[in-house]
Amino acid sequence: MPEAQVLAAEATIGSPAVNISIFGAFVLITLVITFRASRNNKSAADYYAAGRNISGTQNGLAIAGDYLSAASFLGIAGAIAVYGYDGFLYSIGFLVAWLVALLLVAELMRNTARYTMADVLAFRMRQGPVRTAAAISTLAVSLFYLLAQMAGAGGLVTLLLGVTGEAAQALVVVLVGALMIIYVLVGGMRGTTWVQIIKASLLIAGALVMTLWVLAEFGFNLSSLLGGAVDNAVEGRDVLAPGAQYGATSTSKLDFVSLGLALVLGTAGLPHVLMRFYTVPTAKDARRSVVWAIWLIGVFYLFSLVIGYGAGALVGPERILGAPGAVNSAAPLLAFELGGTILLGIIAGVAFATILAVVAGLTITASASFAHDVYASVIKKGNVPPNGEVRIARITAVVIGAISIGLGILALQAGLNIAFLVALAFAVAASANLPTILYTLFWKRFTTQGALWSMYGGLIACIVLIVFSPVVSGAPVNPATGLSPSLFQDVDFHWFPLNNPGIVSIPLSFFLGWLGTVLSKERPDLDKNAELEVRSLTGIGAEKAVQH
């Protein structure tokens, strides 16, 4: 066994009892809160939007809890530890994206929609086809995101329990999926919101402690920390300069541009982020919640920079890549290096809390989209018995949970970087959702055909390019692990050279939305557009829409 793997194996030992106790305490507390929150779930508005009585500050914390996923904590820290500067580019993309959401989407969506993204997209279009398309894109984005969270959960199992093997990791994926389903079935959006608030507080506090501890190890001298990371870096790799991951070839540089586009434009099209805007009482609270989220997320990403370089300096990239979970294990290994068993248990527990909170938010969004947009609006055409919509949403949550468990196990066994998996979810959101949202809000000539061409065209192009990219097959073998980072190891059917398809699929979706509209024989509903414009800018009529 190579030295790196021996060191990693030692790091996984810790104290399984301590790790499980810390995680169990979080689960117990959040389950109690979820059951208490469920007492107020008397209607669809309560279940989907927490009764629209979450304050701007609370919602900002919940957005941070929803957005700071396992990718933010585990994937980005690992990417910085191994690749340095290029790893931090994920953080910059994730953060800058919120300016798009704040300036173009947050307030307008809050004023216009009831529960889901499709409420806005179908406002002045033909309801059936647009709601169906929006539900399909919502499910696609949610499943990609869930895939990343489940893979992160399984990759963490060896650090929690001190055991290895695919069966143990798969069991943890099943456990996370089961807990996720319970949170959503019982607590709805209100319970999920409080889980996310607690998780965000724990995550930021845990990151602060690790940041201060790492800086203390280097006498609070940032230059010494960076120098330690340089000294421990992979031979020939400059972790303080761009190009370690994206820059060796013209293809990798193009891949970086594609990744940046997906990250910056994807946030404003993420259904589970958009759904959080509907939980606040006013548009002012929607703006306040985004401003809070930007500050919290920005501070956390500064912490992740120190944690990532700290892991590179104190643990080393070889040891990280040789550990179970590879780059995703950097933060837990650093915690073990700094504070031994106790800190490892706390950080692993926080990472699990992160995963649980995010998957709960994703699941309630996907299930709400199917129940509200497909079942209630398309199949039943609004004739839904009392609580019938919520019952279907709960059934859908179970189905989505089961599918995400299966896909998560598959992604885990391939050893994919979860920050990268989330970037694919952003690419799907930016391709399938954002162009249609912007056209609907700002182009009065936009038609149903344009919306369908944009959503389906962007979604299909994005997924097809992902399927035939090195993410799925044909990526070169990583010498550190002996494995290809592709999902399928022993086949090669890729022809698209980039890992992220955003640079092709996002402009294509904008173009198809325009082309479908100009070629459409349908005349736009100018009266409905005027109503949408007034409601989105002023909020007049929004409360009436919620009550009906």
Side-chain angles (χ1 to χ4, degrees):
M1 178 182 278
E3 181 184 357
Q5 292 182 350
V6 172
L7 291 170
E10 290 174 0
T12 63
I13 295 173
S15 172
V18 171
N19 298 339
I20 291 300
S21 298
I22 294 170
F23 175 52
F26 171 82
V27 171
L28 184 62
I29 292 168
T30 51
L31 282 176
V32 169
I33 292 171
T34 299
F35 277 100
R36 287 179 64 86
S38 69
R39 297 175 184 174
N40 297 318
N41 284 341
K42 299 175 182 176
S43 67
D46 291 323
Y47 186 78
Y48 293 146
R52 289 209 180 202
N53 59 10
I54 303 297
S55 73
T57 304
Q58 289 172 336
N59 198 46
L61 258 174
I63 288 174
D66 208 358
Y67 193 69
L68 293 174
S69 63
S72 298
F73 187 44
L74 302 177
I76 291 176
I80 294 171
V82 176
Y83 298 107
Y85 183 99
D86 281 15
F88 190 57
L89 294 173
Y90 281 101
S91 301
I92 295 171
F94 284 144
L95 182 60
V96 170
W98 277 103
L99 297 177
V100 179
L102 174 63
L103 297 174
L104 297 179
V105 170
E107 182 179 348
L108 305 181
M109 295 290 282
R110 156 60 186 77
N111 286 341
T112 309
R114 292 177 66 195
Y115 307 132
T116 67
M117 174 183 71
D119 288 334
V120 177
L121 302 185
F123 191 90
R124 57 188 180 95
M125 311 290 180
R126 297 199 306 274
Q127 295 284 315
V130 173
R131 285 190 180 275
T132 302
I136 290 171
S137 72
T138 295
L139 291 170
V141 174
S142 299
L143 283 175
F144 266 106
Y145 224 120
L146 282 167
L147 187 67
Q149 305 309 313
M150 294 301 195
L156 208 57
V157 65
T158 49
L159 298 173
L160 266 177
L161 303 180
V163 295
T164 57
E166 292 181 353
Q169 293 178 341
L171 181 63
V172 167
V173 173
V174 173
L175 173 65
V176 170
L179 284 170
M180 162 188 82
I181 291 168
I182 291 171
Y183 285 134
V184 174
L185 291 183
V186 175
M189 180 57 86
R190 199 186 308 272
T192 299
T193 296
W194 282 107
V195 170
Q196 289 166 344
I197 288 172
I198 294 169
K199 166 254 166 156
S201 304
L202 287 174
L203 182 61
I204 293 170
L208 173 62
V209 168
M210 286 187 68
T211 298
L212 293 176
W213 204 324
V214 167
L215 289 173
E217 291 285 320
F218 293 91
F220 290 94
N221 186 325
L222 191 59
S223 295
S224 298
L225 167 62
L226 297 177
V230 170
D231 293 339
N232 248 4
V234 174
E235 187 175 351
R237 179 176 294 169
D238 185 357
V239 293
L240 300 184
Q245 186 175 12
Y246 301 104
T249 65
S250 57
T251 300
S252 63
K253 291 176 182 176
L254 197 60
D255 214 355
F256 165 65
V257 175
S258 188
L259 172 68
L261 273 176
L263 297 184
V264 171
L265 298 179
T267 296
L270 288 174
H272 68 290
V273 169
L274 296 174
M275 195 169 176
R276 288 237 53 91
F277 298 140
Y278 312 145
T279 64
V280 293
T282 66
K284 183 179 179 181
D285 285 305
R287 288 196 305 273
R288 182 184 294 123
S289 63
V290 176
V291 171
W292 268 97
I294 288 173
W295 276 105
L296 292 168
I297 293 165
V299 168
F300 176 82
Y301 283 145
L302 289 177
F303 293 161
S304 73
L305 183 65
V306 175
I307 293 170
Y309 275 120
L314 297 173
V315 180
E318 288 186 7
R319 186 173 163 193
I320 291 168
L321 291 172
V327 292
N328 303 320
S329 65
L333 285 177
L334 176 62
F336 186 79
E337 188 75 24
L338 294 172
T341 300
I342 299 298
L343 189 59
L344 169 64
I346 292 171
I347 296 304
V350 168
F352 251 83
T354 296
I355 291 165
L356 282 174
V358 174
V359 295
L362 287 163
T363 305
I364 194 169
T365 300
S367 61
S369 181
F370 179 83
H372 180 64
D373 298 326
V374 178
Y375 172 75
S377 300
V378 177
I379 297 175
K380 291 294 186 179
K381 301 191 184 304
N383 299 316
V384 184
N387 294 324
E389 192 175 315
V390 173
R391 181 175 59 83
I392 294 299
R394 287 176 166 145
I395 294 171
T396 307
V398 175
V399 174
I400 290 168
I403 293 171
S404 62
I405 286 169
L407 292 175
I409 292 171
L410 182 65
L412 169 67
Q413 292 171 353
L416 297 176
N417 184 328
I418 52 181
F420 184 73
L421 283 171
V422 167
L424 294 181
F426 275 65
V428 176
S431 303
N433 297 341
L434 184 64
T436 315
I437 291 171
L438 295 181
Y439 279 144
T440 300
L441 291 172
F442 299 110
W443 189 21
K444 65 182 181 181
R445 289 187 55 200
F446 195 48
T447 63
T448 299
Q449 179 171 295
L452 295 178
W453 282 28
S454 178
M455 277 191 283
Y456 283 129
L459 179 64
I460 292 169
C462 192
I463 290 180
V464 167
L465 292 177
I466 289 171
V467 168
F468 292 102
S469 75
V471 174
V472 175
S473 72
V477 172
N478 185 335
T481 62
L483 296 172
S484 165
S486 296
L487 190 60
F488 298 111
Q489 299 287 314
D490 301 322
V491 293
D492 181 4
F493 49 82
H494 91 283
W495 49 261
F496 184 66
L498 305 181
N499 287 317
N500 195 295
I503 197 169
V504 175
S505 57
I506 297 171
L508 179 64
S509 181
F510 274 104
F511 172 73
L512 288 174
W514 170 81
L515 185 64
T517 297
V518 298
L519 295 180
S520 173
K521 297 179 180 178
E522 173 188 2
R523 300 188 66 177
D525 190 332
L526 297 181
D527 291 338
K528 271 288 187 182
N529 178 72
E531 183 182 346
L532 174 69
E533 189 174 10
V534 169
R535 179 178 292 184
S536 64
L537 294 175
T538 66
I540 295 172
E543 296 307 318
K544 181 180 177 182
V546 173
Q547 292 166 2
H548 284 294

